[in-house]
Amino acid sequence: MSPELQPGLRFAWQYTVPARATVPQLYHDTAFCLDMPEVLATGYLVGMMELACVHGMRPFLDWPREQSLGTMVSFRHLAPTPPGMTLRIEGEVTEVQGRRVRFEVQAWDERERVCEGTHERCVIDVERFNRRVADKRQAHGEAA
């Protein structure tokens, strides 16, 4: 991780909401969700907020050997967004502590602010992380 990844770093990212990101389509295998409004699902929005942070910090990582994983999200979904609209997500690094990076993030669609909150990511060494996952899978397989 580059020492240039510091508090105060600002970034922006845009994403056009696909139909598959709406509540009925994202949760198509849950009957009661099929009757819900065709708007951006909160769970998908959280993912977009995370990806904006990944996009913002990626130039400061030794990609793909070094990546990051989300460890905390705290977002308020403020307004509905129909598919086809473009989200503009802006963020700022507020804290860097070792491999942990914290962000303030906000998103707007073409009409209004739709989300705000905080997010935290941990920088990982992909090879080491994958070994841990493989060990866990192997232990799970042996226990089954």
Side-chain angles (χ1 to χ4, degrees):
M1 180 169 68
S2 168
E4 296 172 2
L5 182 59
Q6 292 293 319
L9 174 74
R10 300 183 65 80
F11 55 88
W13 188 60
Q14 290 192 356
Y15 183 81
T16 301
V17 177
R20 72 175 184 275
T22 63
V23 176
Q25 292 198 34
L26 185 62
Y27 304 110
H28 60 87
D29 55 350
T30 306
F32 62 84
C33 289
L34 297 175
D35 297 326
M36 295 181 75
E38 290 276 343
V39 294
L40 177 62
T42 301
Y44 201 94
L45 175 59
V46 167
M48 294 305 94
M49 300 293 274
E50 285 195 85
L51 289 181
C53 293
V54 170
H55 172 78
M57 68 188 299
R58 188 172 171 209
F60 304 95
L61 301 177
D62 182 15
W63 193 275
R65 185 189 65 77
E66 197 175 46
Q67 296 182 25
S68 68
L69 296 173
T71 55
M72 186 278 298
V73 293
S74 179
F75 295 124
R76 292 178 54 220
H77 194 165
L78 305 169
T81 302
M85 291 188 88
T86 299
L87 295 178
R88 185 180 87 252
I89 304 171
E90 296 181 5
E92 180 176 349
V93 174
T94 59
E95 184 181 350
V96 178
Q97 189 173 50
R99 297 179 89 54
R100 185 177 58 82
V101 183
R102 185 167 282 196
F103 305 87
E104 290 288 333
V105 193
Q106 295 185 37
W108 293 263
D109 62 21
E110 297 157 32
R111 187 168 184 181
E112 61 192 328
R113 185 167 52 166
V114 298
C115 189
E116 64 184 13
T118 58
H119 179 45
E120 185 177 285
R121 302 191 69 76
C122 183
V123 177
I124 63 163
D125 175 288
V126 173
E127 187 176 310
R128 182 173 160 231
F129 184 84
N130 286 340
R131 279 195 308 269
R132 287 183 61 203
V133 173
D135 289 347
K136 194 172 196 175
R137 279 189 180 136
Q138 184 178 10
H140 176 71
E142 291 173 1

